[in-house]
Amino acid sequence: MQVRPVGTDALLIEVDTPLDWFAALDAERAAGHLPVVDIVPGARTVLLDGVADPAGLASRLRDWTIDPDLAPHEPPVVIDVRFEGVDLPFVAEHAGTTVEAVIEELTSTDLTVAFCGFAPGFAYLSGLPWNVPRLDTPRTHVPAGSVALAAGFAGIYPTPSPGGWRIVGHCDAELFDVDRRPPALLTPGRTVRFRAA
């Protein structure tokens, strides 16, 4: 584990299991033992922002061990998907299987929100059995609600935007709402299940 300062009041922790660290640190914050403003997991890191004493906390973290079983277990978020994406045949060919088998795999696999980024409400979902390549040239417009795959992740576009992921379906889930707490439907560590609509 590496702990690096970021600016004057943040720390970046480089770890092998960022979601486990995120859950443990978030539990510590909720219990009042970790005075930080925000905890943000990434693919290989966890950022602690708004740290009052970065040097002191960095010293504490270097001796920490975490228990992944202490993470809260919330019910999965089930998202209804119409599997009619233009890239389903490509994904099936890349995986060496059929479109029907791809849909079966996507609806029977528990995915995990590894981290969020790209756009408010966009969650990188890990747990896929395939590493699907991105498009060579991104599309200039991907409709909101597009369910797509790329680079070992699944994701759902929360708003219309350009994008280079392989579209396998569409959903109507509201992924980000500023009036909801939390605003993002899919938060780090949460289990997500796709259900064929």
Side-chain angles (χ1 to χ4, degrees):
M1 188 240 298
Q2 297 285 329
V3 181
R4 303 178 191 282
V6 177
T8 58
D9 62 354
L11 295 171
L12 187 69
I13 308 168
E14 298 178 9
V15 290
D16 291 333
T17 56
L19 276 182
D20 292 343
W21 278 86
F22 168 76
L25 292 166
D26 197 42
E28 284 289 297
R29 178 176 62 173
H33 304 303
L34 185 66
V36 300
V37 174
D38 207 1
I39 305 171
V40 183
R44 300 280 182 263
T45 61
V46 179
L47 176 72
L48 302 176
D49 195 15
V51 179
D53 177 15
L57 181 56
S59 179
R60 248 179 84 197
L61 290 173
R62 287 189 181 95
D63 297 326
W64 254 36
T65 56
I66 59 167
D67 183 355
D69 294 330
L70 295 179
H73 296 287
E74 299 180 81
V77 176
V78 178
I79 296 179
D80 290 323
V81 178
R82 297 178 302 281
F83 287 100
E84 56 192 17
V86 296
D87 297 314
L88 260 175
F90 172 88
V91 172
E93 183 179 345
H94 179 77
T97 188
T98 64
V99 166
E100 293 74 18
V102 167
I103 295 170
E104 173 64 27
E105 189 69 38
L106 289 171
T107 56
S108 63
T109 300
D110 281 351
L111 302 172
T112 303
V113 179
F115 55 95
C116 299
F118 172 63
F122 189 94
Y124 290 77
L125 307 174
S126 63
L128 291 176
W130 328 285
N131 191 340
V132 179
R134 297 173 189 262
L135 294 168
D136 292 333
T137 303
R139 294 178 172 96
T140 57
H141 178 82
V142 176
S146 294
V147 178
L149 313 178
F153 294 102
I156 306 169
Y157 286 79
T159 55
S161 67
W165 289 31
R166 307 284 179 165
I167 299 172
V168 296
H170 298 87
C171 73
D172 297 322
E174 188 171 12
L175 298 171
F176 192 81
D177 178 356
V178 293
D179 296 322
R180 183 173 54 204
R181 290 292 170 259
L185 176 65
L186 307 179
T187 54
R190 201 72 190 262
T191 300
V192 177
R193 291 182 185 154
F194 292 147
R195 180 170 60 192

